Each structure stands twice: as C-alpha cells, then as structure tokens.
Amino acid sequence: MSPLNPARVAREFPSRYRLEAARCEGCGVVSFPPRVVCPACRGRKFATASLEPEGKVLTWTVIHVGPSSHKHEVPYALAVVELADGVRITCQIADLDPAQVAPGLPVRLEFRRIQEDGEAGVIAYGHKAVPA
Ligand SMILES: [Zn+2]
C-alpha cells in the first residue's frame, strides 16, 4: 500500500467522510465515490445521495501481514460490504474476531481513525464496518 497522499485525502474528503454518493438522474444508479459519467447509462447529471450505513458482508480476506501503517492491527479482516443502496465498498471489519466474519454478516459503517502517516503527520479517518 502506498503512503498516504495528503492532496488525495483533501480531494476525497467530502464524499469519503460523509458517505456522499451520486445518484444518476437518468437511470437512478448510485455511484460511490461519485463519478463524472454514469457507468450504467453514460449520463452526466447527478443528485447527491447519502448512503445508508447498514449493509452486509459479501466477501472478505484476513490480513496477517499488513502494510506498516496497520502492523499493530493484524490479524484483521478486510471485507467487501454491500450497503442497502447496492453500493459496494471495501473496508476493514472492526470490533470482531476475524474468525467470526461470515458471508451475509450484518454490519454498519462507523467513522474511525484509519491510519497515521508518521512522516507527513497526516491522520486519515474513514469508515470501518462493525457488527450491526
Ligand atoms: Zn445512469
């Protein structure tokens, strides 16, 4: 995993931190993070939609040897979570033994500290999934 890029953190702040997605005004498909062109109908008009934080685990893997920024957290589960809107996001599962993660596990996203970049002093916040 590459070191955290402060410019990228700033650019993605609104959508990532507020779970802001874009709902296509042409076909209704929700994209997260928001896009310029709808992947379904190529439309370019969107309305802002806030994602519901509840979802379920689709698939996951257990990380035993992680990047240095997460070395104190291993082992941990990294999962693809499908939210109620159908949006899929990849995030860490927190507050649960990785061996307990199962397909269909109900989870909810919570705002947590993700990593601290020692060099740049940037603390990145984001969402982790916890058992619902
Ligand atoms: Zn569309």
Side-chain angles (χ1 to χ4, degrees):
M1 190 173 286
S2 62
L4 215 51
N5 175 339
R8 188 174 151 214
V9 171
R11 190 170 63 243
E12 297 185 349
F13 187 97
S15 61
R16 281 197 184 279
Y17 285 39
R18 294 197 298 260
L19 284 185
E20 245 174 46
R23 185 181 306 279
C24 175
E25 293 187 352
C27 71
V29 163
V30 176
S31 296
F32 181 80
R35 298 174 179 232
V36 176
V37 177
C38 174
C41 76
R42 314 294 296 167
R44 289 174 178 265
K45 285 193 168 183
F46 296 92
T48 300
S50 290
L51 296 175
E52 293 299 322
E54 283 82 23
K56 63 183 184 204
V57 171
L58 285 185
T59 186
W60 75 98
T61 187
V62 177
I63 308 293
H64 292 277
V65 181
S68 59
S69 55
H70 295 268
K71 67 185 173 196
H72 301 300
E73 299 177 77
V74 293
Y76 61 87
L78 191 65
V80 176
V81 170
E82 186 173 77
L83 301 177
D85 313 79
V87 168
R88 294 176 178 185
I89 73 167
T90 302
C91 62
Q92 189 176 334
I93 306 282
D95 301 351
L96 184 69
D97 183 332
Q100 307 281 307
V101 180
L105 177 79
V107 291
R108 103 185 296 282
L109 300 182
E110 286 194 355
F111 196 63
R112 298 280 181 94
R113 188 168 91 166
I114 302 290
Q115 71 179 80
E116 185 168 355
D117 183 329
E119 297 279 316
V122 173
I123 298 173
Y125 291 83
H127 291 87
K128 292 185 181 182
V130 299

